[in-house]
């Protein structure tokens, strides 16, 4: 539910945090490796445990795709999100809003026949 100007900032923060976490875990792994006898086991337990905790926490905090889905947001928040989406791209008023907010159902045949991403798959 981000606008065109908010989405790049969100992605930049995501990539920045990924690199920052790589740096921190590198130093952490070095410290654990030199401090304990079973270094790899301790590193795996610690980093795996943190990953598991973050995964479980985000599973319960993630919002659904549709803002109008009951139970996730207050009605006022859903209205605000839909208004932001429509103000950001007014063409969405013409077509049903559900068409833009729902995930498209792709068939395997459609995906395989689309030859544009084939070089990426080969790489």
């Amino acid at each position: 539910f981000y606008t065109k100007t908010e989405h790049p900032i969100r992605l930049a923060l995501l990539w920045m945090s990924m690199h920052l976490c790589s740096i921190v875990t590198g130093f952490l792994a070095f410290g654990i490796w030199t401090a304990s006898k079973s270094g790899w086991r301790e590193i795996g337990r610690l980093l795996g445990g943190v990953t598991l905790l973050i995964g479980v926490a985000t599973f319960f905090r993630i919002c659904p795709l549709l803002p109008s889905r009951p139970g996730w947001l207050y009605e006022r928040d859903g209205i605000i999100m839909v208004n932001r989406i429509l103000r950001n791209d007014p063409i969405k008023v013409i077509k049903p809003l559900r068409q833009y907010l729902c995930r498209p159902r792709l068939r395997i045949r459609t995906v395989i026949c689309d030859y544009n991403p084939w070089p990426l798959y080969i790489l």
Side-chain angles (χ1 to χ4, degrees), residues 29-30 32-34 36-48:
F30 177 75
I32 293 171
W33 179 259
T34 56
S36 69
K37 294 179 183 175
S38 59
W40 285 112
R41 242 181 274 160
E42 297 295 324
I43 292 170
R45 284 183 193 145
L46 180 69
L47 298 181

Side-chain angles (χ1 to χ4, degrees), residues 35-100:
S36 69
K37 294 179 183 175
S38 59
W40 285 112
R41 242 181 274 160
E42 297 295 324
I43 292 170
R45 284 183 193 145
L46 180 69
L47 298 181
V50 169
T51 303
L52 183 68
L53 285 173
I54 291 173
V56 169
T58 41
F59 177 77
F60 290 109
R61 293 290 301 160
I62 254 180
C63 282
L65 193 59
L66 292 174
S68 59
R69 187 171 169 189
W72 285 84
L73 301 169
Y74 294 113
E75 185 179 344
R76 182 176 179 270
D77 294 336
I79 291 169
I80 290 171
M81 283 187 184
V82 169
N83 285 335
R84 286 187 63 181
I85 291 168
L86 293 177
R87 275 194 211 129
N88 187 37
D89 193 6
I91 197 75
K92 292 179 182 173
V93 176
I94 296 170
K95 293 187 179 183
L97 185 61
R98 228 173 235 285
Q99 177 182 348
Y100 287 98

